[in-house]
Amino acid sequence: MYEIRDAKTLFHTEQHSIKEVSYALGFEYPNHFSRFFKEKTGMTPTAWKDLN
């Protein structure tokens, strides 16, 4: 999904917060984005950011 690709890019290259990335990708609430990210990747955005 392009949202996950874009989120990973924003996290990695721009060092945006989860809240900033969720709004940039069109999610109304950051918790909805976090749930979506975990469903698609198997890890939370915070865990992914910590590993990368």
Side-chain angles (χ1 to χ4, degrees):
M1 305 219 57
Y2 74 91
E3 292 97 343
I4 297 300
R5 183 199 65 219
D6 292 348
K8 288 179 178 179
T9 299
L10 289 171
F11 286 145
H12 189 66
T13 61
E14 303 291 331
Q15 298 300 313
H16 290 291
S17 70
I18 294 167
K19 186 176 183 178
E20 291 171 327
V21 170
S22 67
Y23 292 141
L25 295 177
F27 287 85
E28 188 171 352
Y29 301 106
N31 62 328
H32 291 168
F33 167 71
S34 293
R35 191 176 318 128
F36 173 79
F37 191 93
K38 187 171 183 177
E39 285 176 9
K40 301 301 181 188
T41 65
M43 57 183 15
T44 64
T46 303
W48 191 90
K49 284 177 69 172
D50 290 344
L51 289 175
N52 296 288

